[in-house]
C-alpha cells in the first residue's frame, strides 16, 4: 500500500453513522460490486434489486461503468438505510460487501506520479468540518502508512490517477502544480494574517498564474490591495437568489446536527437568505474568533485540488470555487443568523461552510466563472483599503 498524504485532523475522522450522506444522493455501484452484494443478499432481498436502477454506459456505448440503485421515498433514501441511520448492509454483511463509494466517502483518493496517494475529505460532511474545528492551529498535512484495517487504508484503496491540472489557459506539470500548492498552503499557515486577506493574496497569485505567469515564479504576496478582490468577493456573496439558497439549505439540513434548523419558520427562510449589503456586520469574517477556523478550512480546500466528478476529472481544478464557496457560506451565515435570531458562532459558521460546499457542488458552477477569471488586475486597482461604494468586511 502506498503512503497516504492527508490533512492531519482527518486521521481521526469517524463517521457519525447518522446516514446523512445515504439520502438524496444515488449510490453508484461498480458492476462487480453489485455482483458481490447480490451474492450476499438472501433471495427475497435480491429480487427487485435492479428495479428502476440507472446504468452508466461509457462513451464507447457498450461498457457498463456503474449502476445506481433506485432510492426510496421522497427524501430518496438508500434502501439499506435503517431508521436511526445504521447501514443494513454494513451491519449484516460487513464493509466488504459495500460499494467502494460508501467505504471511501467522504474521502476521495488520487494517485500521484511519485506513487503516493492523496486523500481529500469532503467538507460537506459534518464530521470533516468537526475535525477542522478541533483547533485553531495551522493545518498540517501528514504522510502516513496505516495498517490495512485502518479507515485511511480503506478510503485510499482504488485511487484515481491524479488528473492533469490547468489554471486558466495554462496547463501545469504535476511538479509545477505541487510547487504552487505548497506555497499556497505555506501562506495559509501564517497565524498573523487575516483569513480574508490571505484569500485575496492567494486569489491574486492564481490570477497571475492564470494570466500566464510562469509557475516557477508563483508566490503569494504578503500584502495585496483589498480591491478589486473585495468587490468581486462581495459580488459572490450577493450572487444567488435567496429562494435557491433556501432550497439547497433544506436539502443540506440532513447533515446538520448542531444548529436547530427545525426551529426556524420555513415560510420566512427565503426572505432571510436575501442578500444584504451589511452582511459583514453580522458575520464578522475578520473577528479573531473565526480566523483559525477560516485559515484551516481554506488550507483544507486548497489541498483538495482535484474535482470529485467523473466528468470533471480531466480538467478539474477545484480551486475555481474556493473563494466563491466561502462567499456563499458568509451569505448563508448572515441569513440563518437572522432567521434563527442567533449569533454567527462556530457551529453556525461551520454548518454554513458545509451548506455552501453542498450548494456549490450541486450547482456545478462553470469553472470559467470562477475567481481568477473575474479578477481585474489590469488596469491597476483602486488604491487604499476600500474602493468607492464598497464596504470592507
Ligand atoms: S456525511 Fe459524514 S458523518 Fe454523515 S453519514 Fe456520511 S460519512 Fe458519516
Amino acid at each position: 500500500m502506498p503512503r497516504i498524504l492527508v490533512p492531519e485532523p482527518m486521521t481521526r475522522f469517524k463517521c457519525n453513522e447518522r446516514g446523512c450522506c445515504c439520502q438524496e444522493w444515488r449510490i453508484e455501484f461498480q458492476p462487480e460490486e453489485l455482483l458481490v452484494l447480490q451474492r450476499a443478499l438472501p433471495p427475497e432481498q435480491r429480487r427487485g434489486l435492479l428495479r428502476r436502477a440507472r446504468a452508466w454506459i461509457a462513451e464507447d456505448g457498450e461498457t457498463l461503468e456503474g449502476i445506481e440503485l433506485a432510492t426510496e421515498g421522497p427524501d430518496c433514501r438508500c434502501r439499506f438505510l435503517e431508521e436511526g441511520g445504521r447501514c443494513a448492509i454494513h451491519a449484516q454483511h460487513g464493509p466488504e460487501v459495500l460499494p467502494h463509494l460508501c467505504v471511501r466517502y467522504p474521502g476521495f483518493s488520487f494517485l500521484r506520479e511519485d506513487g503516493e496517494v492523496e486523500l481529500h475529505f469532503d467538507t460537506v460532511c459534518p464530521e470533516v468540518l468537526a475535525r477542522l474545528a478541533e483547533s485553531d492551529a495551522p493545518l498540517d498535512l501528514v504522510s502516513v502508512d496505516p495498517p490495512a484495517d485502518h479507515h485511511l487504508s480503506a478510503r485510499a484503496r482504488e485511487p484515481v490517477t491524479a488528473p492533469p491540472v490547468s489554471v486558466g489557459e495554462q496547463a501545469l506539470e504535476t511538479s509545477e502544480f505541487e510547487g504552487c500548492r505548497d506555497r499556497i498552503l505555506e501562506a495559509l499557515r501564517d497565524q498573523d494574517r487575516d483569513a480574508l486577506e490571505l484569500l485575496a493574496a492567494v486569489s491574486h497569485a492564481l490570477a497571475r498564474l492564470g494570466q500566464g505567469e510562469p509557475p516557477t515564479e508563483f508566490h503569494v504576496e504578503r500584502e495585496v490591495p483589498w480591491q478589486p478582490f473585495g468587490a468581486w468577493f462581495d459580488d459572490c456573496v450577493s450572487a444567488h437568489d435567496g429562494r435557491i439558497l433556501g432550497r439547497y439549505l433544506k436539502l443540506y439540513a440532513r447533515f446538520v446536527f448542531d444548529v436547530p434548523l427545525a426551529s426556524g419558520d420555513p415560510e420566512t427562510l427565503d426572505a432571510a437568505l436575501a442578500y444584504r449589503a451589511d452582511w459583514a456586520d453580522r458575520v464578522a469574517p475578520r473577528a479573531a474568533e473565526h480566523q483559525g477556523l477560516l485559515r484551516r478550512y481554506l488550507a483544507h480546500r486548497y489541498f483538495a485540488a482535484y474535482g470529485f466528478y467523473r466528468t470533471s476529472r480531466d480538467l478539474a481544478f477545484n480551486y475555481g470555487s474556493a473563494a466563491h464557496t466561502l462567499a456563499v457560506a458568509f451569505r448563508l451565515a448572515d441569513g440563518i443568523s437572522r432567521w434563527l435570531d442567533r449569533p454567527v458562532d462556530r457551529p453556525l459558521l461551520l454548518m454554513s461552510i458545509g451548506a455552501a460546499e453542498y450548494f456549490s457542488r450541486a450547482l456545478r458552477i462553470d469553472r470559467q466563472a470562477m475567481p481568477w477569471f473575474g479578477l481585474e488586475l489590469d488596469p491597476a486597482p483602486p488604491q487604499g483599503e476600500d474602493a468607492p461604494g464598497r464596504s470592507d468586511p
Side-chain angles (χ1 to χ4, degrees), residues 13-22 25 81 85 102-107 122 124-128 155 252 254-255 257:
F13 175 83
K14 190 171 183 313
C15 171
N16 63 22
E17 297 182 11
R18 296 191 186 195
C20 23
C21 60
C22 311
W25 289 336
L81 178 63
C102 296
V103 173
R104 76 175 193 217
Y105 189 83
D122 188 358
V124 165
C125 167
E127 292 302 316
V128 171
R155 292 195 156 85
Y252 186 69
R254 69 186 194 273
F255 293 88
F257 303 98

Side-chain angles (χ1 to χ4, degrees), residues 206-264:
L206 289 169
R208 291 193 305 272
L209 190 63
Q211 290 164 8
E213 185 182 77
T216 48
E217 293 178 23
F218 183 87
H219 64 285
V220 180
E221 287 180 286
R222 175 112 200 117
E223 286 187 28
V224 296
W226 175 243
Q227 302 297 357
F229 177 81
W232 179 85
F233 190 79
D234 192 61
D235 286 346
C236 290
V237 176
S238 71
H240 304 288
D241 189 299
R243 289 168 296 183
I244 295 176
L245 291 173
R247 195 167 88 220
Y248 279 95
L249 182 62
K250 284 173 195 154
L251 291 173
Y252 186 69
R254 69 186 194 273
F255 293 88
V256 180
F257 303 98
D258 297 333
V259 175
L261 293 179
S263 66

Side-chain angles (χ1 to χ4, degrees), residues 266-337:
E267 297 297 318
T268 60
L269 174 61
D270 294 352
L273 291 174
Y275 169 74
R276 288 177 177 80
D278 63 352
W279 62 269
D281 293 347
R282 183 173 279 261
V283 177
R286 294 179 189 270
E289 69 193 88
H290 296 324
Q291 296 312 303
L293 172 64
L294 292 177
R295 282 190 296 261
R296 279 165 71 87
Y297 161 67
L298 289 172
H300 182 90
R301 191 57 153 72
Y302 280 107
F303 171 63
Y306 307 117
F308 295 134
Y309 293 115
R310 186 209 310 264
T311 50
S312 66
R313 276 179 194 147
D314 52 348
L315 281 178
F317 194 60
N318 216 21
Y319 292 1
S321 59
H324 191 105
T325 303
L326 185 60
V328 172
F330 289 156
R331 167 81 172 277
L332 289 168
D334 180 44
I336 299 166
S337 166

